[in-house]
Every structure is written in structure tokens, then in C-alpha cells.
Amino acid sequence: MTPQHDIPTGLNPHADASCARAFDGVICFAGEDWWYHNRGHYDIRIMRELARGLPVLFVNSIGMRTPRARKGGMFARRITRKLRSISHGRTTVDENFHVVSPFVLPGPTGMRLTGPMLQYQIRRHARALGMHRPLVWITVPTAAEVLRDIPHVGLVYQRTDRYESFPDVSRERIERDDAWLKAHADVTVFCASHLHGSERNQCQCAVLIDHGLDEERFLSADAAAEPDDLREIPRPRVGFVGGIDSHTFDPNLFCNVVNTLPDVQFILVGSCSLPAHWCDAPNVHHLGQRSYDDVHAYMAACDVLIMPWRTGSWIQACNPVKLKEYLAVGRPVVSTPFPELRRYDALVSSARSADDFADAIRQALADPGDASRRQSAVHGQSWPTKAQTILNTLADRGLRPETPFRLAEPSEPPVILTVPCSSTPRERTEARPERPTPRAHGVPNVCILLDGGLQPSPLVVQCGSSLLDLHVTRSMTLLEYWRHQLDAISATMNLRVVHGVHGPPPWPPRNADAKVTIEREPQPFRGPAGVVADVCRELSAPSSVLIAEASRLPITDIGALIRDHAAHDAALTIGRNPDGSPAGIYVARVDALMDVPDRGYIDLKEQWIANLLEHGATVRTHGLAGQGLVSIRTRTDLLRAVRRIAHDSPSQASPEDGSLICPTADVARDAVVRDSIIMPGARVESGALIVRSVITQRAEVKTGSNIADAVVSAGRCLSDPAANASLSRELP
């Protein structure tokens, strides 16, 4: 299952305040569980700050891995604590901050079975909290699989860990979800510079905003006010505060250090997933998990604080929040090396081997150094400051709270990278299939569907989604219909959808085996010929490519166009509708695109085709049979196109009362629907009257409503005049 926007996303991402996409709350799919995880995690702290200005629904982690019975006691503990978490229901922890543990079965199979139930739960809780246009914040990548049916105005992806390296997860699944989120999120937030540097070009907008700090709590921690369970433990004390897990904590290194320093007492504070009795040395004290409100006291009561990390891809991408907390309490810090330590080289001792680690602890005990210097290094890095920086970044992308509020003044601007016009890889929704060996003059290997332009069409503005996401039959979206038509020509033809920066991207078809990729224009303001040339530079010159405008519905034999092109060995063959108008579809030899300049706006007809003719290339036209390619730019166009499919291919459409009602639409028996489209998941309540209108996916028409000549999307209804006014306001 893939996600689907129902409210406008991506329309003019650089809009000013007058046309910003306003959100009335935040739905956060967290990587932790509020009820049993440490509450100092990034998503928890940012959500607590945002809740000072708008409602937040904090969704406890829906999980990435399937608990395994062979893990014995750990399996039982995980199942028990998840059931306890679910039993809390939706709880208001603080004003505007609400926590819920939805019921969902773990793993890919569990998600397929309970995903629809999860979506329903989240929508119901959001509505109950007054959220109709929420911002969705995703930490756990698998949440991408349920985003389809959760209406939202914007998407933030928090990429703070390499979850694909997490034990017992499907690496392929996590990598797929991660790639999808980075390609579609309005903002991807990184907190580690190493991860940001290696992945920022995969994102629409990558921003580096590292962890914040609870300054009041940690900078003022009092070493004298030690917790009761430490009073009987003699000094010197070396402490570790945090989760003790096999993928992060190095037990062998730790045990060797413990044995090397028998006169030092080692304090472990945090939950532990390692086997029982993994370290029974008499100078090791396992205190278990403590409240986040108390961890600063445990840190301050130790003489040295340590981070004995296991080497690997996980820690290489990490920026542990405890690093700043350790420094804030002023204690010396010893750690195994990882990239983020470079920012604090002079303040943290780094050691790889157990012997070097033990020596570093001895030196820190003998000479603790300047505590105030460590504290000064993290001063001014508060969580309100980080949250305000995120709000400012969202505002730059056209996303603002409905009721503006300010949390703090950012201390420094974030490191932001929006994918540049050139030189960076195009984002893709799924791994692009290997390019088959091109055939010189046969069926093209690739169809390029151009889903862009200088401004979104009126229908895109009304629906808030790509035209390719709209249903044109009971079972197929326009994108799926294109795929269906191409399969009739060649089952091996790859479909590459290239969307523009001024409209929302389409979402992949439900068929995971379909050879479809979703890419963003490599360069903005290139014009259709420039975009096609940029996309085709990796193709071999002897091959051909099929080019079509995504805003067209093909009700014709496209194969005849391709065969005509091949038979005449033309440089370009242009499709022509039965009425003589350009059909918006072309077959071109790739070598005919090689002369298109690398920069600048290049129109297809006036510039590229004119240039081909000027140089004597063979340019032909081909008259399309049937109804040709029908243009879809307005509500009226869409309704007309659906009627044409029903007339031309009755098996593809089953209109009822002149309308197209998709199987999963919920339409009351006494509702009256005439000459309209009701898309999957839409709800039409009792007594409603709908005429010549489009009700988009998961939109609602209330009891007794009269809807005529309009498009209803989640949270709004736009008639055609209103759409035109909205278009003039929302576009530059």
C-alpha cells in the first residue's frame, strides 16, 4: 500500500505567506512509545514544543519488526508492554499533547491485515481533536505504508537513524519506505551531519537540525543531590545512561573495561535487551530504566560518563542526544569514535580498544578538566530553539500553522539543501528497473509521462493532487490506466513519470510489480523538450522513446503510432487527434534529442520541432484512431473523459446513473448522485445531492448537502469559479 495525499501538497512550495498551506495540528508517527521509552528522544521533544501552539497527536511506534518467539523472555516482554500501551487508549498528557497506541499487527503481513484499521483509527482520533488539515511527521519509515488514507497538507520525514540496520527488520522494506519518504516529504530533517551529507541529494528538501537540550534541567544538575539508590555505591563512579541494546551497545568492550578497572564502580541506567547475566561483575550496578525527569541527577552523580558504542553503520549515522546531555552536566566523557564526535574533539576522549578506553577513564578521573568549558559548548541549544528552526524551515516551504506562534529565536540558521537544478540524482519512488538493451527501431523501451508545467491546472488546484491520482474507471487511476494501455503494447516497457516542481507528485500504482518510477524534473523551468532531453541522456542513441503529456487520457491504439514511427524511420512522429488537434503524444529517436541544450527553457513544438525541421530531420504526423487522447485540465474535462471511456470500453467503466462510483466509496442509499465521480474511500451521507461534481478520495459530503459543479476534497469544496480565484491567489 502506498500513500496518497488528499489535501493540496506541493502546490508552489516557495509561496509567500498569503498562499501558504496552513496546518491545524500535527500527527506524529513516532519511533518510540511514550509509555515505556525514554522521553528525551528527538520526536518526543519536538512534539512537546509544537504542542505549545497547536494540537499534536503522538502516535506511539507502529513498529518495524515482528517479535520472534525464539527470543523467549524478551518476546513476552515486548508483547506485554505493547498490550499495556494499547490499553491506555488516547490519553491527553498535557494541553494540546495527546498520545495514542493504535492497534496494529507488526511486520509486513500484519500491516497488510491491519493497515486499513490503523488508518481509520488515526483519522478518527485526528477529527476528534479538531484536526482537518494536519501536518504529518514521520519518524518510523513503515508509516509511509499507511499514509495513503490519512489526509494531510504536508509531510515531514525525520531521518535520525538508519533503521534499515535495526535487528530483525526487513532491510528491503525499510529502504523502500525510506527512499519513498525522502523523495516525497516536503522537508526531511536530519540531526547527524554524516547522514545528512550522504543522503541529502535524495531529498526534496534536506535540513540539518541536530538535537536540542533541556537546558534548565541538565545545565543546572547538582552533583550533591544524588539519587537514593546511588548513595551506598562508593566513588569513583563511571556511568552510562541510555538503552543497552545489541545494535548500539558493545557488551564485550564494556566487560573488558570493567575487568580492567576493578576499583571503579560502573553505573548502568536504562532499559536492557541483552541476555540476562550478560555482565555480573561485582563493580557493575544495573539500576534499570529511570524517569527522564531524573536522568540528569544520575549523570551528575557520576565522575565520568561513557558511550561504549558498537562499531557499525548504525552508530556511524547517529548523533546521540545523550552526548549534549553528558556535556551539559559538566562531567568528562569517554566514547568510542563516531563521526558526530568531531564537533567536540577537544571535549570528549575517544578510544577504540578496551585498553585505550580504560586508560581514558583513568585519565579523566585523575584530571576531570574544565566542566564550564563543556557546558558552554552546548549552551543555547535548547529544544524550543530547535523547534522554532523547524517551524521557520516549514514556512520557507509554504507550510505554516493556522494560528501563528513563536517558540524561540533560532541561534543559527539550519543547514538546508533543496535538490539543485542539475548534477544531483533524480528522486525515485522505487528502484528503477535495469534498463534493457535498447532496440534500434522497434517498440520503445521507455514511455516518459510529463506531469508538470509552469503552473498546476485548475483541476489540480481543486483536488490538491496530481491528475494521475484521479480515478477514470472504477478500478484504475489515470496513472494505472496509462500503465494498462502500455501493457497492451509491450509488457516490458518502463513508465517513467516526471513531475514538475509546481505541482504535487503522483503516487505509484498499487501494483508493486508495475515498472513505474516517479521522478522529479532534473531541472526546473526547462520546458517539455528540455525535460525529456535531460531524462533521456542516459539512454542509448539508437533507441526510441514514447513521450506523452500526463494530462491526457488515451482512448486509442497507441501501438499504431509506434508502428508507424518505426516503419518510416522518422526522427519524430507526432500524434494527431481525429479532429486534427495535437494529441500530446510523440515517438522520438533518442539521438534527435541530443542537440537540445543542457540549460534554459526549451519548448517542444516551437523550438525543438522547429529545430529538427530546420536541420532536415524527418518529422511526421500520425492520425490516431478512436477518440485519440482526451485532455484533462478541468472538472468538466474529467467528467467528459470518464463518459468517453464508458462509451468506448464498457468493461473498463460501470457508470451508475451517469456516474462513476468506485467500489470502496461509501454512498448512502438515499443520496442522489448524477453525472459525477465518487472516488475510493469517499463518503456521501444521507440525503446528499451531487450533480456534475467530483468527490475525491476520502472526501466527505455531509447529510443534506447540495453539491453542484464542484470538486470536493478532504476539508474543502471548490466550485469552478472558486477554483479559478484560488488558482490566481496560489500561483506566482
Side-chain angles (χ1 to χ4, degrees):
M1 183 175 289
T2 51
Q4 174 80 31
H5 289 285
D6 272 317
I7 301 177
T9 59
L11 299 179
N12 189 16
H14 303 293
D16 60 23
S18 65
C19 55
R21 289 173 283 154
F23 53 93
D24 58 8
V26 180
I27 300 173
C28 174
F29 287 91
E32 297 79 35
D33 191 299
W34 172 266
W35 301 115
Y36 57 80
H37 277 132
N38 186 309
R39 294 174 184 172
H41 288 278
Y42 195 103
D43 45 3
I44 293 178
R45 296 313 307 263
I46 292 295
M47 291 305 113
R48 294 307 304 270
E49 295 301 327
L50 295 182
R52 291 162 59 185
L54 72 170
V56 169
L57 179 63
F58 186 88
V59 182
N60 285 327
S61 177
I62 60 175
M64 293 175 286
R65 53 186 176 178
T66 305
R68 302 184 185 277
R70 68 171 184 267
K71 301 241 174 166
M74 179 56 68
F75 171 80
R77 286 195 297 273
R78 284 177 176 162
I79 294 296
T80 300
R81 71 184 186 183
K82 178 53 72 175
L83 291 175
R84 286 176 179 168
S85 181
I86 293 173
S87 70
H88 285 279
R90 188 181 77 238
T91 302
T92 299
V93 173
D94 204 349
E95 184 180 4
N96 273 346
F97 189 78
H98 314 273
V99 176
V100 65
S101 290
F103 176 77
V104 60
L105 294 177
T109 301
M111 184 66 77
R112 283 196 296 272
L113 293 174
T114 56
M117 183 189 304
L118 171 62
Q119 295 157 357
Y120 168 75
Q121 293 174 79
I122 299 305
R123 293 197 308 270
R124 179 169 59 86
H125 289 304
R127 285 197 300 267
L129 297 174
M131 295 187 199
H132 302 287
R133 297 173 55 81
L135 174 77
V136 168
W137 180 293
I138 287 181
T139 300
V140 58
T142 50
E145 299 170 23
V146 299
L147 194 61
R148 181 183 188 95
D149 290 315
I150 299 174
H152 53 285
V153 300
L155 175 63
V156 175
Y157 176 37
Q158 178 189 319
R159 175 66 166 165
T160 45
D161 288 297
R162 280 199 171 122
Y163 282 115
E164 62 272 22
S165 300
F166 207 58
D168 299 328
V169 301
S170 167
R171 186 180 186 94
E172 180 182 3
R173 178 192 182 199
I174 299 301
E175 287 181 339
R176 181 195 67 224
D177 292 341
D178 169 73
W180 188 92
L181 286 165
K182 286 185 289 194
H184 288 83
D186 294 279
V187 176
T188 300
V189 177
F190 294 85
C191 75
S193 55
H194 177 80
L195 198 57
H196 176 260
S198 63
E199 297 186 358
R200 60 186 186 178
N201 287 337
Q202 302 169 23
C203 311
Q204 288 198 42
C205 175
V207 54
L208 176 60
I209 303 174
D210 69 345
H211 285 292
L213 176 69
D214 189 335
E215 293 185 309
E216 182 178 353
R217 188 183 306 276
F218 289 92
L219 288 173
S220 60
D222 184 0
E226 60 184 28
D228 292 340
D229 51 359
L230 290 184
R231 295 185 189 281
E232 302 302 321
I233 300 176
R235 293 180 182 272
R237 300 175 189 148
V238 172
F240 174 83
V241 179
I244 305 169
D245 300 305
S246 60
H247 64 290
T248 56
F249 191 91
D250 190 334
N252 293 328
L253 173 70
F254 178 79
C255 291
N256 288 334
V257 171
V258 166
N259 293 332
T260 304
L261 301 172
D263 56 334
V264 174
Q265 305 302 309
F266 288 83
I267 313 298
L268 298 178
V269 178
S271 61
C272 179
S273 62
L274 298 179
H277 311 295
W278 66 275
C279 187
D280 286 334
N283 58 330
V284 176
H285 307 270
H286 303 263
L287 302 184
Q289 189 167 353
R290 293 293 184 266
S291 168
Y292 177 72
D293 294 337
D294 299 326
V295 294
H296 66 288
Y298 285 92
M299 293 179 184
C302 293
D303 302 295
V304 175
L305 296 167
I306 61 172
M307 292 187 290
W309 302 126
R310 181 189 293 276
T311 58
S313 60
W314 179 281
I315 191 60
Q316 291 299 303
C318 276
N319 180 10
V321 66
K322 65 174 54 62
L323 173 58
K324 284 185 178 178
E325 294 172 349
Y326 279 5
L327 294 169
V329 298
R331 301 297 168 264
V333 181
V334 179
S335 175
T336 49
F338 60 97
E340 212 61 32
L341 279 183
R342 295 168 188 159
R343 299 176 60 186
Y344 304 99
D345 274 342
L347 302 173
V348 178
S349 298
S350 176
R352 293 183 183 276
S353 68
D355 288 341
D356 290 344
F357 206 98
D359 286 343
I361 291 175
R362 288 194 189 97
Q363 293 174 18
L365 290 171
D367 181 12
D370 186 355
S372 63
R373 186 179 172 208
R374 289 187 282 267
Q375 292 177 310
S376 296
V378 294
H379 180 68
Q381 300 293 310
S382 69
W383 283 113
T385 296
K386 301 298 180 179
Q388 184 63 54
T389 303
I390 289 172
L391 284 174
N392 291 354
T393 303
L394 291 173
D396 290 341
R397 302 290 292 170
L399 286 160
R400 302 171 187 268
E402 277 191 354
T403 304
F405 63 96
R406 178 165 289 278
L407 299 169
E409 292 296 334
S411 56
E412 58 184 21
V415 179
I416 300 176
L417 181 132
T418 303
V419 176
C421 297
S422 61
S423 78
T424 57
R426 289 181 295 275
E427 300 123 283
R428 59 204 65 177
T429 303
E430 55 192 52
R432 180 177 298 157
E434 290 187 9
R435 180 161 46 90
T437 303
R439 290 160 284 182
H441 302 295
V443 176
N445 294 317
V446 176
C447 172
I448 298 174
L449 210 54
L450 298 174
D451 184 33
L454 292 179
Q455 63 183 33
S457 69
L459 187 56
V460 169
V461 173
Q462 288 177 301
C463 295
S465 64
S466 168
L467 294 175
L468 292 170
D469 294 332
L470 302 180
H471 271 252
V472 294
T473 76
R474 286 167 52 85
S475 61
M476 286 188 285
T477 63
L478 179 56
L479 175 55
E480 291 162 339
Y481 192 83
W482 267 105
R483 179 70 263 178
H484 171 76
Q485 294 292 86
L486 296 176
D487 283 342
I489 301 169
S490 170
T492 62
M493 188 183 300
N494 297 326
L495 176 58
R496 294 173 62 174
V497 180
V498 185
H499 70 89
V501 299
H502 299 290
W507 301 69
R510 294 169 179 80
N511 181 2
D513 296 326
K515 293 186 176 180
V516 178
T517 59
I518 312 296
E519 311 168 27
R520 195 171 65 174
E521 290 180 356
Q523 303 182 60
F525 304 111
R526 279 284 278 152
V531 170
V532 172
D534 291 344
V535 173
C536 288
R537 296 204 190 281
E538 65 189 61
L539 301 179
S540 300
S543 61
S544 295
V545 61
L546 180 65
I547 307 162
E549 297 172 11
S551 60
R552 302 274 183 157
L553 178 70
I555 312 179
T556 186
D557 179 12
I558 300 175
L561 168 67
I562 294 173
R563 292 189 294 272
D564 185 18
H565 172 80
H568 292 86
D569 193 26
L572 173 69
T573 301
I574 306 169
R576 187 180 72 248
N577 278 326
D579 63 1
S581 63
I585 189 168
Y586 314 83
V587 187
R589 286 206 315 259
V590 171
D591 57 8
L593 293 156
M594 294 300 100
D595 290 335
V596 174
D598 292 341
R599 297 288 184 273
Y601 186 94
I602 311 296
D603 186 80
L604 201 148
K605 296 183 284 290
E606 284 79 2
Q607 291 175 275
W608 177 49
I609 295 177
N611 184 64
L612 289 177
L613 292 171
E614 184 179 339
H615 288 83
T618 302
V619 177
R620 304 186 71 257
T621 63
H622 171 82
L624 297 170
Q627 300 187 47
L629 269 69
V630 179
S631 175
I632 303 177
R633 290 186 53 80
T634 67
R635 173 192 55 82
T636 303
D637 290 342
L638 179 60
L639 293 172
R640 184 184 300 118
V642 168
R643 287 197 297 270
R644 290 186 178 183
I645 289 181
H647 178 271
D648 196 66
S649 304
S651 63
Q652 296 289 348
S654 301
E656 303 173 20
D657 296 325
S659 297
L660 180 70
I661 302 179
C662 295
T664 59
D666 182 7
V667 180
R669 300 182 103 183
D670 63 344
V672 178
V673 180
R674 294 289 185 271
D675 194 22
S676 297
I677 301 174
I678 315 296
M679 296 193 183
R683 179 179 176 84
V684 179
E685 296 182 351
S686 176
L689 171 64
I690 301 174
V691 180
R692 297 184 303 276
S693 295
V694 176
I695 314 301
T696 65
Q697 298 188 29
R698 286 158 301 281
E700 294 186 359
V701 178
K702 297 298 184 181
T703 300
S705 298
N706 293 327
I707 306 294
D709 300 313
V711 174
V712 179
S713 60
R716 67 178 187 173
C717 172
L718 291 179
S719 64
D720 285 344
N724 295 333
S726 174
L727 184 65
S728 65
R729 289 195 304 270
E730 295 191 27
L731 297 174

